[in-house]
Amino acid sequence: MASLNPVTGTLGTRRSAHILRRSTFGPSKSDISLFAGRTANQAISELFQIPATPAAPADYDTFKSWWIGQMLNSGRSIVEKMVFFYHTHFTTKEEVVQSSQALYHQNELFRYYALGDFKELTKKVCLDNAMMIFLDGRDNDRNNVNENFGRELLELYSIGKGPQIGPGDYTNYTEQDVKEAARVLSGYGNDEDFLTIDPVTGIPTSFVKNDGGTVANAHDAEVKTFSEKFQNTTIQPIELVGEDATVAATLDELDQLIDMIFNQDETARHICRKLYRFFMYYEITPEIEQDIIEPLATTFRNNNYQIQPVLQQLFGSEHFYDADNALAEDDNHAAIIKSPLELILGTLRYFGVTLPTAGTQAFMDAVDNGVLSPMGLQGLYLLEPYEVAGYPAYHQNPDFNRNWISHNHLARRYEYIGRLMTSMDDFGFQLDAVAWVESNISDPSNAQVIVQEMVDELLPEIITSARFDYFLNDILLDGLSMGNWTTEWFAYQGSNDDSAVRTQLEALFNALMQSPEYQLH
Amino acid sequence: MRRRGFLKKIPIAATAPVVLNGLPVGLLAQGQLQQVVSSSSNDKVLVLIQLHGGNDGLNAVIPIDQYAQYYNLRPNIAIPDNGSRGYIPLDSTLDIADQVGLHPDMVGTKTLYDQGKAAIVQGVSYENHNGSHFRSRDIMFMGGDFDDYLGSGWMGRYLDYCFPNYPDAYPTSEMPDPLGLEIGTSVSLAFHRDNGIPVAVAANDPEGFFNLINNTGGLPPESVMDTHYGQELQWIMDIEANSNQYADRLKEVFDNGSNTPGVTYPETYPLSAGRLNNPLAPQLKLIARMLSGGSKTRIFLARIGGFDTHGNQVESYDPTLGNHAALLYHISAAVEAFQNDLQGLGLEDRVVTATFSEFGRRAASNASYGTDHGNAAPMFVFGKAVKPGIIGTNPDLQNLAGNNIPMQVDYRQVFTTILHDWMEAPDQAMVQTLFDGFLDQKLDLFGSVVTSTRDEFISKRFKLNSAYPNPVRDRTTLSYYINTAVQVDIELLDTGGRRIRSLVSGHQQVGEHRVSVDLSDLRPGTYIYRIKAGPLDAAKKLIKM
């Protein structure tokens, strides 16, 4: 059976690379060797240290490249990976929101709660300015209830939709609940000047529409009655002025709504399934549901919806390292298809490719041309998922992250690797294969050592000896002898003319990374 | 991806099990080979257009008989019933209970209807409708009930039946093309089979695709492990092999193909408000070109998004303008151009086009000049083979189900009809597609003797009656009926076809028209009077005494 029992012992290279690939935007060579000597708990305690909050971008219009910069430079921290996870969960589209500042503040919110209280985060997202625009919350008033946000709050963001078992009945909630939730959420407006500040987070938020005083004059003050899925809970204002709720009572109704949703056991399960699919594997069997999801959900509830204990339990478990049974068929090692973001940033971070100084125009151009634009070609337009549910890889049954791989997208992933070695003019940065080998491979004059050390860390799984021979003999040596490589390498060292070894090393880099194996982690 | 020329084209008549570069090649059993030939012997093509986000059917197809109720449900977005931007009455020859008005930006649809090449299916949905975009779209793609959870789609299962052992046994000389082609860069659930990679290839630029495939990738591994990792690796390898197989062919077909000279596809919405660029036209243009280039692909899927109009569906100052108007224009104008293109290419007999959307929208509008998620909505089916008309009747706006338009037709009735009657799918294929339960509920979408059906349809709606009296001494009365407000020109010609004079010229309303003309100054003899009015071009003989 699958088990969350804590794993023991030092990690070693394979497990070190595994936890780093899954929990960060990819390790460098030195990260892998550092964690190899640590236990899972030691690794986790470093991953979960909270870095200093980054300074805001000087110009909000540069928010996207600023955000990529945070991911690129996030070192051995899980925080930025969680920020991205929250973006895949509470998705918004820039095309609809059309305010870089609103998107930045939403991102700030994700970072504030990255390892913290998921329930509080959900509440803050209900009030988030970008979300108010994206799902029409600002247009939802008592005379004309707009259900858009209320529906997605239940369907996507919290309890999740179960199978439809009757007219308007989605197991976990009903159409009636969508309508009642929308009424609870009525009467808010987005603050276009970003002057309304949340007292807890210090981050700009929306406001309750009012008469200039304490009366919430667009909020539906009638009693909202939920279905038996929520134990027929009623929600109503705790304070009225005439027939209107007060501003405080309107906000209190949101508290009641969130309490009601998080009082259902299913909410924790739904979120834990999303975490599992994001960090582990997309297929949730009855065994995984019982042995992994259920105990993680219990941890989540017992910790009042703090997300950190759940993640730590998963990353520290035998299950995470396939150590819970002797079977290979259910191993999850290297079974996630990388997103374009993980493919690109993972490559740049592993090879330590240097971008122009953060914050400069050159940096922004480099990110636009060398990261964001190729990501789009590979099927991930950052902040422009095709639909409200987010990027298909994180929710679309039955293929989940296989959705990243189409005929076009796969070819674009391969193409990126090829371009990366000659991309200085196009991207403003490039990967220098010779320089990297020279300073990172223990003995670059030995072709076998080069291939061995690269295969061990770049490819996520053990390869056959035939495959190794292909990389070594067919590609790097081009059918010639090991001795010939040594001669070529020393000739380069003596002459500083790297053209011969560069051709062969670039061929090797291409073969290793324009491969099916490199698409996985 | 094939620098080393891996995975050669597989001979279909292989006699022994083959493993090429670790990819086991399935052998075709005897019966399966016959099945391939028999079920793919026709060249009928289906083009599906997905309207993503939930199309507001009620502002596209307006129930004329209930205009007041319609208006009261949605006063801030209602299309007016008069004026230059009033709805376009579709067909005044129908029962009043069935008469509809089209959105004023759906001129192209009206034109195709008048040519007898368009049908509207009213009230399409499924039982126990689901308000979720994603779930609803998945249901329509997978071809199931509201409570089915299938990992495959109906197009995938149908094509899997027609072409067994995909992808290993393909391409073949009978089927050199991808079975399905999705215009875009990823493949929808609709094309998924029960196992293995989907039956469609996604492409929006065959030339770029070819160059890309030829300049990337190395040799794939020769074997995979029996782990989750191995399964994912196999998936990627299969897609890669598939890319290599079809890249050449897609380019070849694209290069061989062309569009009809003189047919212009619309690029933008001519009225400034709303989503300006037509995203559908280039997709349909590409499909026409691929077909003219010899593509044997059976199902094409095109897509246009932006229909989730909770807010700003219309402009606050003019309900006939805005995002939804632009979208309806894009569809109507693009399909009209596509149909003209197919006609010019001589392909009109091979292609049927249908639109679908995950749901319609709420009958009542909201305060944001928009509409929330609803239930049933009309589908449009276009093509020369289509039996023109309206299937189903106007929704009863006084008896809505929770402010929603109730279902009249299950979406699978439409797709079953298309597969069985148009694509000529055998019953056994319908079993595998999981649509066999709808075979006894097919719709009358395809007349049996298509040409006469369409001619009869048109002549009922556009006709030139006999002049009376004829022979004529001084005056005679010309009469004609038109089903569209159009420019009407009637000319008097001599028997040599030379123009004598104009009898009628002007823009005229729908209906029966009678004009008395004075011919007292005409020399005795035989003449011809000829009418041109929209699709009507007819002539009759007139004798002057």
Coordinates of all heavy atoms in Angstrom, one line a residue, chain A residues 159 264-274 289 293-294 297 300-301:
Chain A
I159 N -14.3 23.6 -2.8 CA -14.8 22.2 -2.5 C -14.7 21.3 -3.8 O -14.5 20.1 -3.7 CB -16.2 22.2 -2.0 CG1 -16.6 20.9 -1.4 CG2 -17.2 22.7 -3.0 CD1 -17.9 21.0 -0.5
Q264 N -16.7 21.5 5.3 CA -17.0 20.3 4.6 C -15.7 19.5 4.4 O -14.7 20.1 3.9 CB -17.7 20.5 3.2 CG -18.8 21.6 3.3 CD -19.9 21.3 4.3 OE1 -20.3 20.1 4.4 NE2 -20.3 22.3 5.0
D265 N -15.7 18.2 4.7 CA -14.5 17.4 4.6 C -13.9 17.4 3.2 O -12.7 17.3 3.0 CB -14.7 16.0 5.1 CG -14.8 15.9 6.6 OD1 -14.5 16.9 7.3 OD2 -15.1 14.8 7.1
E266 N -14.8 17.5 2.2 CA -14.4 17.4 0.8 C -13.5 18.5 0.4 O -12.7 18.3 -0.5 CB -15.7 17.4 -0.1 CG -15.4 17.1 -1.5 CD -14.8 15.7 -1.8 OE1 -14.8 14.8 -1.0 OE2 -14.1 15.6 -2.9
T267 N -13.6 19.7 1.0 CA -12.8 20.8 0.6 C -11.3 20.5 0.7 O -10.5 20.7 -0.2 CB -13.2 22.1 1.4 OG1 -14.6 22.3 1.1 CG2 -12.4 23.3 0.9
A268 N -10.9 19.9 1.9 CA -9.5 19.6 2.1 C -9.1 18.5 1.1 O -8.0 18.6 0.6 CB -9.3 19.1 3.5
R269 N -10.0 17.6 0.8 CA -9.6 16.5 -0.1 C -9.3 17.1 -1.5 O -8.4 16.7 -2.2 CB -10.7 15.5 -0.2 CG -10.9 14.6 0.9 CD -11.8 13.4 0.6 NE -12.4 12.9 1.9 CZ -13.7 13.2 2.3 NH1 -14.5 13.9 1.5 NH2 -14.1 12.7 3.4
H270 N -10.2 18.0 -1.9 CA -10.1 18.6 -3.3 C -8.8 19.3 -3.4 O -8.1 19.1 -4.4 CB -11.3 19.5 -3.5 CG -11.2 20.2 -4.8 ND1 -11.3 19.6 -6.0 CD2 -11.1 21.5 -5.2 CE1 -11.2 20.4 -7.0 NE2 -11.0 21.6 -6.6
I271 N -8.4 20.1 -2.4 CA -7.2 20.8 -2.5 C -6.0 19.9 -2.4 O -5.0 20.0 -3.2 CB -7.1 21.9 -1.4 CG1 -8.3 22.8 -1.5 CG2 -5.7 22.6 -1.5 CD1 -8.5 23.5 -2.8
C272 N -6.0 18.8 -1.6 CA -4.9 17.9 -1.5 C -4.8 17.1 -2.9 O -3.6 16.8 -3.3 CB -5.1 16.9 -0.4 SG -4.9 17.7 1.2
R273 N -5.9 16.8 -3.5 CA -5.7 16.2 -4.8 C -5.0 17.1 -5.8 O -4.2 16.7 -6.6 CB -7.1 15.8 -5.4 CG -7.7 14.6 -4.8 CD -9.1 14.2 -5.5 NE -9.9 13.6 -4.5 CZ -11.1 14.1 -4.0 NH1 -11.5 15.3 -4.5 NH2 -11.8 13.5 -3.1
K274 N -5.3 18.4 -5.8 CA -4.7 19.3 -6.7 C -3.2 19.4 -6.4 O -2.4 19.4 -7.3 CB -5.3 20.7 -6.6 CG -6.7 20.7 -7.2 CD -7.1 22.1 -7.8 CE -6.4 22.4 -9.1 NZ -7.1 23.5 -9.8
E289 N -6.1 7.6 -3.2 CA -7.2 8.3 -2.5 C -7.2 8.0 -1.0 O -7.2 8.8 -0.1 CB -8.5 8.1 -3.1 CG -9.7 8.8 -2.5 CD -9.7 10.3 -2.8 OE1 -9.1 10.8 -3.8 OE2 -10.3 11.0 -2.0
I293 N -4.3 10.8 -0.1 CA -5.1 12.0 -0.1 C -5.9 12.1 1.2 O -5.9 13.2 1.8 CB -6.2 11.9 -1.3 CG1 -5.5 11.8 -2.6 CG2 -7.1 13.2 -1.2 CD1 -4.5 12.9 -3.0
E294 N -6.5 11.0 1.7 CA -7.3 11.1 2.9 C -6.4 11.6 4.1 O -6.7 12.5 4.8 CB -8.0 9.8 3.2 CG -9.1 9.9 4.1 CD -10.3 10.8 3.7 OE1 -10.8 10.6 2.6 OE2 -10.6 11.8 4.4
A297 N -5.4 15.2 3.7 CA -6.6 16.1 4.0 C -6.8 16.2 5.5 O -7.2 17.3 6.0 CB -7.8 15.5 3.3
F300 N -4.4 18.6 6.8 CA -4.8 19.9 6.3 C -5.8 20.5 7.3 O -5.7 21.6 7.8 CB -5.4 19.8 4.9 CG -5.3 21.1 4.1 CD1 -4.5 22.1 4.4 CD2 -6.1 21.2 3.0 CE1 -4.4 23.3 3.6 CE2 -6.1 22.3 2.2 CZ -5.3 23.4 2.5
R301 N -6.8 19.7 7.6 CA -7.9 20.1 8.5 C -7.4 20.3 9.9 O -7.7 21.3 10.6 CB -9.0 19.1 8.5 CG -9.9 19.1 7.2 CD -11.1 18.3 7.4 NE -10.8 16.9 7.4 CZ -10.9 16.1 6.3 NH1 -11.2 16.6 5.1 NH2 -10.6 14.8 6.4

